[in-house]
Amino acid sequence: MCGIVGYIGYREAYPIVLKGLKRLEYRGYDSAGVAIYDGKNIQLSKTKGKVVDLENKINQKQAPKGTLGIGHTRWATHGIPNDINSHPHYSNSGDLVIIHNGIIENYTSIKKELVKRGYVFHSDTDTEVLVNLIEDVIKNENVKLGKAVQIALNQVVGAYAIVVFDKKKPDEIVVAKLGSPLAIGIGEGEFFVASDASPFIEYTTNAIYLKDEEMAIIRRQKGVKVRKIKDDSIVVPYIQELKLNLEQIEKGGFDHFMLKEIYEQPNVIKDTYRGRLLANEGIIRLGGLEDYIQKFLNADRIIIVACGTSWHAGLVAEYIFEDLARIPVEVEYASEFRYRNPVITEKDVVLAISQSGETADTLAAIKLAKSKGAFVYGICNVVGSTISRETDSGTYTHAGPEIGVASTKAFTTQITVLTLIALKLANLKGTISSRDYMNYLRELEVIPQRIETALKANEHIKDVAKVFKNSKNFLYLGRGYNFPVALEGALKLKEISYIHAEGYPAAEMKHGPIALIDEQMPVVVIAVNSNHYDKVVSNIQEIKSRKGIIIAVVTQGDTTVKAMADYIIEVPYTSESLTPLVTTIPLQLLAYHIAVMLNRNVDQPRNLAKSVTVE
Ligand code: M6R
């Protein structure tokens, strides 16, 4: 949930750490701090606020000098966001400095013990407890930092990625991971650590992704030694060559990452199906699926676990799998599933969907499903992420880095992968005709063009946004395949504009929400071509009769809804099952423009973080 960066080498650490924090700020942004060490003095600065506030604070003094440095950008868990709770944290002696991403669940009992032994705490954080626990081990067991970290972490319950150094050891940093991501960049005579590879991509493309329960001692001259936290055994790390490039993590002329990512959708969807969809040959080939296809074909049901936008993609999948492949599907909030004592058997296939591949609840749901013998398949975007490693097999979405906290391209690429899987199964099972199968394949192949067309409505959507930017509430309605899109449209508006919005299946209106309708209430209705079109038209009439304002997303050329709606936004025609891929686009743009007009921080909305690695 927080972003952590570290550097040890021959360059000045501060500029590297600061730039790294800016790239990781999507992970949390309520406070930030750095500690830079020149071998004699540690210069520690931290503040409530964003990385730019930290930079301004430091600019008033002198930039810290030193070739060892660590930095942190925080999403608060224990202790409100303020200067004192910000990381890094010193140990009581002032020798150890730590940054931490995660939660130490048993910190209260450890703190009590440490207080009894005379330790004093300045912050409300669990992190300060951990650094003092490490210090206590060094003192009592007469061991060095690496060993002390290992002993201390064996007493800890929770999740962490930590970076810690000792003033007495100017050539060494120690890192460890359980549940929160940590990558080590291997340069020539220099090493980087970070929550993801973006802070060091211009320096090296060689990286080690630490696995859970692993730690590493990184020495300036001697390199990296990886060990298991549990038993101290040596691990031979796998050095991965990164495919990421700098352009992918920069804004590329757009005002915000979110807008860039909305506009990337045509291209990234091509990346998602490249080499996997051979429309003319009638072939769908998904590496991770081929060996396990029988698991899906023999499954009693598919259970989808996910959170947030990924959960909405799961809901779309429920329609596609049931409609086309005739496989029963249940879609579960991972956070509920993990604690519900669900009935799961070996004949279930569990599909976990996650952009980051790090969401704590989704990860816990996977572990539960595996423990009950289910086959678990992952759909993740971030390559090498924890979920992608914990699942039995899976498919990457290949959307590229998604930096905006509001998920956009992750959603449409997830739907693309899910559609490919459903179509493959439907074809094998014979639940759709070969003619329909071929038509779907060809249509899926031109979806990027359809999205290009949908994006052309941008200026018009901006005008609509102007009209409604001061509305206090919004309703989003859809039916069938577009019910989840209504939920997703409402979520996008809420999270980046802070306007209250609710998504509903259009027909549920009469069962309560219709009471909300008056002349102040904008209702966004997805009314594209579908089996339910006439029913949606009736729902629109019901709203109009109660003076609600209709903003309708319609198929190009529509005349019926056009005559009734106050505002229309057109999207190109596509097969009903694929409509979510195009109807989502105007809803993303509408939320984006309203948020910009309200001066919201679009890429870093308040209270949120990109990946929720705590429960
Ligand atoms: O990385 P994940 O897909 O597992 O994340 C799940 C949710 O936290 C995420 O989709 C969240 O709801 C987004 N902010 C929505 O835009």
Side-chain angles (χ1 to χ4, degrees), residues 475 477 506 509 514 517-518 521-525 536-550 566:
L475 268 180
L477 303 179
M509 277 288 292
I514 201 159
I517 303 290
D518 63 15
M521 176 67 96
V523 185
V524 179
V525 187
V536 177
V537 169
S538 305
N539 298 140
I540 292 176
Q541 262 155 354
E542 288 156 13
I543 299 162
K544 284 304 307 169
S545 324
R546 286 152 185 93
K547 300 203 173 72
I549 311 155
I550 301 288
D566 300 274

Side-chain angles (χ1 to χ4, degrees), residues 307-310 354-357 359 405-407 414 491-492 495 612:
C307 303
T309 290
S310 298
S354 174
Q355 186 286 130
S356 62
T359 301
V405 165
S407 218
Q414 286 164 348
L491 175 63
K492 287 291 87 87
E495 67 180 330
V612 184

